[in-house]
Amino acid sequence: MSGAQIGKDSVSKDIRTETTRPEQTASGNVADLEDVRAVLAGDRERFSGIVTRYKNMIFDIVLRTALAGDEAEDLAQEVFCRVFAALVSFDQERKFHTWIYTIAVNTVRNYNRKQYRRNSLLHPVANIESLPGDRAGRQEHRQLFQNEVREGVLEILAGLKEKYRLALSLHYFHGLDVQEVGEVLGLPANTVKTHLKRARERVSALVEKNEKYATLFREACIE
Amino acid sequence: MDSMGKKPQKNSPEQDLFGSFLAAGRGMALPREGFAGRVMHAIRSAEPAAAPRRRFFPRMIALPLAASALFVLALVFTVLRNGGAPADPDLVEVSFTLRHPGAETIALVGDFNRWQAAVDTMRRENGSWKITKTLRKGKYYKYAFMVNGTRLVNDDRADRFVDDGFGGRTSVMFVN
């Protein structure tokens, strides 16, 4: 564990992770806009640039928030299809990455609504590609351990209300600031802060309640 | 006290629990290899982003007349084809079936319809989706099922699978 302080949002920024989101540099934004314009001009192959830059990010947010299990990848693909279909309506004055997050979140909400109606929440562990670090050469028990940790994280996320799960994932795992999370979720910043506070409390309570996961997470931090 | 003379802050138990959860949850997973290719495959089959095709006809002045004429022509063509002269011996009817009770729409896409999802919409029968196509004998056809207009699914019962050129695989059928 980083040992960073966790508490108020101003402090907790230290421990946000930004491993899944493409760097939002000026050149990154330019590349997005260039691809958007090229696709709108009829060159749909240029959409591959967008897919390449955002595939990990979209897959990750879908995996964490839709709890779609083996369907996570299908859902991520659906997000890209929706992005493609809606590209014509993209306001090029907006940040592309928050716009694409908005579409992902709406897709997740639709999915969760349907799942709720079906009353059949899938097991949250997806058939996912292992992390690069888990590939050949690592011990099998380490992979099993990592899988167990992932299962635990998804299990905890599944215990949150959707609105808290979304806010927490966007802020802490995807590195969006409170304003950006509000923009994506269509909420005022203060509401986002409240959601984050409740999410932290709920996660802590769930981890504390389940000694197995508390131990697992501590061990994962040490590794 | 640290070297700066500040008292080190200690996390509360709640903060430690949440912090360990966050640290453990970093870098959860990546999509499988070929994901980008599969997405682009679906994008290539999708309707153009700004295609206004459905709006074209309502704007025509002679819409009712044109629509009626088209309908009659299609009807005559269908009747003649089904009840007329024997079919080309090189053609054969091939049935495609996909079991997918949860789908809302499924279309068959492939080389035979230039991967256009709007051409061969499958019909639902007791949780399975079916369509019959007339195809030319002695040819290999690449194909897939487009589920809910967004997702391409391969046919488990395909004769074989080949690289789709975009990092994924696609079903292949030999018609004989």
Side-chain angles (χ1 to χ4, degrees):
Chain A
M1 191 183 153
S2 66
Q5 294 296 302
I6 307 148
K8 291 179 181 176
D9 296 312
S10 57
V11 180
S12 60
K13 275 176 189 169
D14 296 340
I15 55 169
R16 278 186 285 153
T17 63
E18 302 188 34
T19 52
T20 49
R21 184 158 65 99
E23 263 189 72
Q24 288 308 304
T25 59
S27 60
N29 286 331
V30 169
D32 288 339
L33 277 182
E34 282 178 351
D35 285 341
V36 168
R37 287 170 186 155
V39 173
L40 290 176
D43 182 3
R44 68 171 70 187
E45 289 304 311
R46 288 287 294 273
F47 195 74
S48 62
I50 293 169
V51 176
T52 303
R53 281 192 294 282
Y54 288 95
K55 64 181 194 301
N56 292 348
M57 178 195 103
I58 293 298
F59 179 74
D60 189 273
I61 195 69
V62 164
L63 184 68
R64 289 178 196 277
T65 58
L67 307 173
D70 287 340
E71 292 182 23
E73 201 173 285
D74 294 338
L75 207 55
Q77 180 168 319
E78 188 179 333
V79 171
F80 280 110
C81 288
R82 288 181 180 217
V83 168
F84 177 75
L87 215 52
V88 71
S89 65
F90 170 60
D91 175 0
Q92 296 183 19
E93 297 298 312
R94 267 187 84 177
K95 288 180 194 164
F96 186 75
H97 79 278
T98 52
W99 182 73
I100 199 170
Y101 268 122
T102 307
I103 291 179
V105 163
N106 288 337
T107 308
V108 164
R109 283 171 168 162
N110 282 342
Y111 176 84
N112 286 342
R113 203 172 299 130
K114 282 181 190 170
Q115 288 304 111
Y116 183 76
R117 281 189 195 137
R118 288 176 197 156
N119 197 22
S120 59
L121 194 65
L122 297 171
H123 194 275
V125 181
N127 177 18
I128 49 182
E129 179 88 340
S130 298
L131 289 168
D134 288 339
R135 286 184 180 157
R138 299 286 184 127
Q139 297 292 322
E140 191 183 349
H141 75 266
R142 178 170 165 73
Q143 181 139 5
L144 288 172
F145 172 73
Q146 292 283 4
N147 289 344
E148 217 174 338
V149 172
R150 281 180 212 138
E151 187 177 342
V153 170
L154 291 174
E155 199 90 30
I156 296 293
L157 287 170
L160 301 181
K161 285 183 179 175
E162 182 192 75
K163 57 186 178 183
Y164 301 149
R165 195 162 63 232
L166 284 167
L168 182 145
S169 299
L170 289 168
H171 182 64
Y172 287 109
F173 292 123
H174 284 240
L176 270 64
D177 63 33
V178 170
Q179 293 290 345
E180 287 176 321
V181 175
E183 193 181 327
V184 170
L185 299 181
L187 297 170
N190 281 339
T191 309
V192 173
K193 285 180 186 172
T194 307
H195 283 6
L196 290 173
K197 182 172 179 288
R198 301 259 160 80
R200 285 195 301 269
E201 289 169 354
R202 178 75 179 144
V203 165
S204 301
L206 287 171
V207 176
E208 190 174 22
K209 194 173 157 189
N210 193 326
E211 182 56 34
K212 179 190 161 193
Y213 289 136
T215 310
L216 252 184
F217 296 158
R218 272 197 298 273
E219 286 174 6
C221 294
I222 294 165
E223 285 239 333
Chain B
M1 294 275 194
D2 61 17
S3 58
M4 300 294 287
K6 291 178 185 169
K7 191 177 177 183
Q9 289 179 286
K10 187 169 167 52
N11 287 343
S12 70
E14 184 186 292
Q15 289 169 341
D16 280 339
L17 289 171
F18 184 67
S20 66
F21 163 78
L22 281 188
R26 286 197 181 108
M28 284 288 284
L30 302 171
R32 287 174 298 169
E33 276 186 36
F35 172 71
R38 288 190 289 279
V39 171
M40 285 308 294
H41 203 146
I43 295 299
R44 287 184 191 102
S45 312
E47 290 292 315
R53 291 168 66 178
R54 289 184 181 173
R55 292 182 183 172
F56 178 72
F57 287 109
R59 287 175 187 167
M60 289 179 65
I61 298 168
L63 171 65
L65 191 62
S68 304
L70 278 173
F71 177 74
V72 170
L73 274 173
L75 197 63
V76 167
F77 177 75
T78 306
V79 168
L80 282 177
R81 196 179 65 165
N82 294 339
D88 184 336
D90 286 340
L91 297 179
V92 62
E93 290 199 331
V94 180
S95 293
F96 294 83
T97 305
L98 178 68
R99 175 98 186 137
H100 198 318
E104 290 172 6
T105 62
I106 297 187
L108 176 68
V109 292
D111 297 337
F112 35 76
N113 62 16
R114 299 200 301 170
W115 296 87
Q116 296 299 306
V119 177
D120 291 313
T121 308
M122 300 176 76
R123 66 184 184 283
R124 190 203 299 257
E125 283 182 20
N126 301 325
S128 291
W129 295 77
K130 295 180 180 176
I131 192 169
T132 301
K133 287 282 294 178
T134 302
L135 300 175
R136 191 160 294 279
K137 290 180 185 174
K139 284 191 68 175
Y140 284 99
Y141 292 95
K142 291 181 193 170
Y143 68 102
F145 301 106
M146 175 69 83
V147 178
N148 296 337
T150 58
R151 184 160 61 93
L152 279 175
V153 172
N154 277 329
D155 187 355
D156 291 339
R157 290 173 293 183
D159 293 331
R160 54 193 280 208
F161 297 91
V162 294
D163 188 341
D164 63 5
F166 310 111
R169 294 189 315 157
T170 193
S171 321
V172 175
M173 167 186 279
F174 180 68
V175 176
N176 54 19

